Amino acid sequence: MRRIGDHLKKNTQIYVFLGIMALFTLITPNFTTMYTQSVVNTVLAYFIAALGMNIMLGMGGQISFATCAFMGLGGYISADLMKMGLPSPLTILCGLIVCGLFAFLFGLLMYRLAGYFATFATLALAVTSYGIYNSFKPLTGGADGLINIPTLSFGPLTLTSMYSYFYLLALACVLAAVFVERLRKTSYGRSLAAVRDNEIAARTLGVNVYMTKILSFVMAGVLAGLAGIILAHQNRYLSAGTLTLDISNMFIIIAMLGGIRSTFGTLIGALIVVLLPEVLRPIKEYIRMVYGFVIIILMVFMPMGLWGLLEMIGKSIRSRIWVRPEGRESRRGANS
Amino acid sequence: MEPILKLADVRKRFGGVVTADHINMRVFPGEIHGLIGPNGAGKTTALNLISGIYEVDGGTICLGGKDVTRLPAHQRARLGVGRTFQVPRFLRRASIYDNLMIGLDLANQFGFLRSFFGARGDELNALLEPLKEIAGLSFNWEDDIAAMPFGQQKILEIIRALIAKPKVMLIDEPAAGLNSEEILRTMNLIKLVSERGIGVVVIEHKMDLIMNICHNITCINFGKVIGQGAPKEISANPAVIEAYLGKEDDDA
Ligand SMILES: Nc1ncnc2c1ncn2[C@@H]1O[C@H](COP(=O)(O)OP(=O)(O)OP(=O)(O)O)[C@@H](O)[C@H]1O
Ligand SMILES: [Mg+2]
């Protein structure tokens, strides 16, 4: 029994997350309109891509503006291959593999650059990829966008509505979230933290800083690709206009809002960032300014994000309610 | 016996400043080797050259007979070079648990996939058990490292290096900023490290401490070795006295 208790306590976040997802899955499709459902789906897809930022930025302290490039890369490849008649599972797999491979090769070059220049390289990638997506007609439809993208189907199962895509997204979210949550506790997760907090210490602790950074870029690329693939097939349409730097910025905000240590917080972040423009429709023109302020405020006042804030409040409440008899040590302390 | 660490003719300069001038040095398993010299003599630079933070301009560095001169820092760490820093370097935004686990990760050296099923806290606890008494540490696993007192951080950094199961441990000024009880604990800890057969290189300004625990001492000044030998020989060496020990008397 105690073991189960310990396990639950250690993995609270992931179970809260799973619970909410389950509830969400049961309730949502029965009570939503098409429109609401599409908003919910967007939240989930953005959550997946933002998890990539959670790995890179939150765990590893590396900024990437290239999320839009990988959403497009995955989306276009899967869409084009399916138009050529390949089955969905294969097109999805191809999209993900190309995203991963390209991120790896780009990372090999990019992380040869010192410090901020690597970040600039991701910026260059975002701008260049937009240019290509917007003009390379045969594969991307150019400025008109790619139309008539086939819907996904797995064997006898064809996804025909927003609702069916919701289930696919929910499944993808759970898989991605469990992966990221697990990653945090692996030696690779700790390598990322070391790269983030102290590169010299990382090197003397056997961390291959270069490869660690590249691998985080690969994971972010694959997650962005996955989000891009599902969205492209769901919307049956993919336009370069949705793959701009703005959307990359948004994923950075989502990850920062959610907090660097939190998978669950990232979901909250995605929820806020997607719903905010709906609420703020009247001041739509100023939305970028709002984002800018939000980033600054987050960096200065809440480096650990919303979840970090909640944790802090929780901790201070708990310490007020339970006074530990032996001072600062707890049951799990090193001296017990 | 073969030396576990061997520096031959190691050279390094920063612009016009020569910080390592043909340094020769040998450290054997289980030996505590003191590295002394005035401020700016090039002691920390020597550790940076050994651990691979800096590249040498010339000369060779061998670890257990293997030439590691051209290897990057993380590979040297994996081959068994552990170290601490003058000002402790931790993962500031991680818990104490993660900060120690990363030492264990280095000992285990799991690949990416394996790491998903790799080391757990139990293993870390087993390793910490024999050290708690000596180190006198008290903390919660989940606490942030930044909340820990400075003295405890310095001790914890040695423990982190030890958990990684190194062959050589480089310790930079372990007693600086510590109170007398912490210094005693640190000395006992360093002795324990050497009893495990690890070759220790320790930089320290506190002479009594160095004379007390070191088997051998190398004294450098302006990047040059000016004296090498047992503590007794060093304290009788005129060059060392002039450059370093004598000066300390003047200060006092
Ligand atoms: N990265 C660097 N770039 C330029 N000069 C450096 C660098 N690292 C060290 N130096 C110079 O090398 C010399 C030796 O420095 P080092 O830190 O090795 O001294 P130290 O013996 O450890 O001194 P202390 O007892 O004060 O710690 C100093 O003059 C320092 O300014
Ligand atoms: Mg120094």
Side-chain angles (χ1 to χ4, degrees), chain A residues 139-313:
Chain A
L139 292 179
T140 68
D144 304 331
L146 193 62
I147 52 170
N148 294 329
I149 297 175
T151 192
L152 293 173
S153 68
F154 303 92
L157 204 71
T158 301
L159 306 188
T160 48
S161 66
M162 280 289 167
Y163 301 112
S164 40
Y165 272 95
F166 170 75
Y167 290 112
L168 176 67
L169 279 164
L171 178 71
C173 280
V174 168
L175 290 179
V178 169
F179 172 77
V180 172
E181 197 55 25
R182 190 75 199 89
L183 191 69
R184 256 177 238 294
K185 292 169 184 143
T186 62
S187 57
Y188 176 70
R190 286 185 286 271
S191 301
L192 270 175
V195 169
R196 176 193 67 203
D197 285 350
N198 203 317
E199 242 183 73
I200 288 186
R203 287 161 68 196
T204 56
L205 286 161
V207 173
N208 185 340
V209 173
Y210 178 57
M211 270 304 156
T212 303
K213 287 178 180 173
I214 292 174
L215 204 50
S216 77
F217 191 61
V218 168
M219 286 189 263
V222 170
L223 286 169
L226 181 62
I229 291 171
I230 300 179
L231 280 181
H233 289 283
Q234 173 198 278
N235 300 335
R236 319 289 300 269
Y237 173 70
L238 181 56
S239 145
T242 62
L243 300 169
T244 58
L245 202 56
D246 274 350
I247 198 167
S248 291
N249 290 339
M250 203 184 59
F251 293 117
I252 293 173
I253 293 182
I254 293 177
M256 290 184 68
L257 253 181
I260 60 169
R261 284 181 189 167
S262 172
T263 307
F264 183 60
T266 309
L267 183 62
I268 303 176
L271 206 66
I272 292 174
V273 167
V274 173
L275 295 186
L276 210 60
E278 305 286 324
V279 182
L280 296 182
R281 216 159 263 254
I283 56 160
K284 200 162 181 269
E285 294 91 86
Y286 303 106
I287 198 80
R288 280 190 195 173
M289 202 176 76
V290 174
Y291 281 164
F293 276 122
V294 169
I295 291 194
I296 294 172
I297 290 171
L298 282 174
M299 291 213 285
V300 176
F301 295 106
M302 297 197 313
M304 296 297 180
L306 285 174
W307 187 267
L309 197 69
L310 287 179
E311 266 183 348
M312 230 166 65
I313 294 170

Side-chain angles (χ1 to χ4, degrees), chain A residues 182 190 197 206 261 328 334, chain B residues 78 93 105 116 132 140:
Chain A
R182 190 75 199 89
R190 286 185 286 271
D197 285 350
R261 284 181 189 167
R328 272 169 46 76
Chain B
R78 290 177 191 181
R93 283 179 282 180
D105 293 336
F116 275 76
K132 283 178 196 164
N140 295 321

Side-chain angles (χ1 to χ4, degrees), chain B residues 9-201:
Chain B
D9 249 359
V10 167
R11 300 188 296 280
K12 180 75 183 175
R13 63 191 303 164
F14 292 104
V17 187
V18 178
T19 51
D21 195 354
H22 299 270
I23 291 185
N24 289 291
M25 199 172 133
R26 281 135 60 96
V27 180
F28 290 88
E31 174 187 347
I32 302 179
H33 194 112
L35 191 56
I36 62 172
N39 287 109
K43 304 181 295 294
T44 300
T45 302
L47 296 201
N48 282 335
L49 290 169
I50 297 169
S51 57
I53 298 298
Y54 297 156
E55 272 185 56
V56 299
D57 292 340
T60 55
I61 299 169
C62 290
L63 184 73
K66 185 181 161 64
D67 186 347
V68 299
T69 318
R70 297 284 153 216
L71 292 184
H74 70 269
Q75 279 182 25
R76 296 190 203 184
R78 290 177 191 181
L79 288 172
V81 179
R83 81 170 282 188
T84 72
F85 297 87
Q86 219 163 319
V87 177
R89 286 180 180 271
F90 283 106
L91 286 50
R92 287 280 148 196
R93 283 179 282 180
S95 62
I96 293 175
Y97 173 80
D98 279 346
N99 268 288
L100 289 175
M101 277 301 279
I102 199 163
L104 188 56
D105 293 336
L106 176 54
N108 286 330
Q109 298 192 17
F110 291 145
F112 178 70
L113 285 178
R114 179 81 200 282
S115 77
F116 275 76
F117 312 96
R120 298 286 163 80
D122 307 346
E123 198 182 335
L124 183 61
N125 256 328
L127 284 171
L128 277 182
E129 199 60 46
L131 303 176
K132 283 178 196 164
E133 183 72 36
I134 290 176
L137 290 171
S138 65
F139 54 79
N140 295 321
W141 278 138
E142 314 300 332
D143 278 353
D144 277 351
I145 198 89
M148 210 178 205
F150 181 78
Q152 297 232 331
Q153 287 191 22
K154 291 212 75 157
I155 293 174
L156 198 69
E157 206 186 22
I158 298 177
I159 290 184
R160 178 177 69 181
L162 183 58
I163 286 172
K165 306 203 172 98
K167 297 194 176 82
V168 174
M169 200 191 290
L170 317 171
I171 308 177
D172 202 345
E173 300 198 17
L178 269 58
N179 64 34
S180 54
E181 190 209 320
E182 287 165 340
I183 289 178
L184 199 66
R185 290 189 184 284
T186 302
M187 288 174 65
N188 287 335
L189 194 59
I190 292 175
K191 281 181 195 154
L192 178 134
V193 171
S194 86
E195 277 156 22
R196 292 192 179 179
I198 298 167
V200 177
V201 179

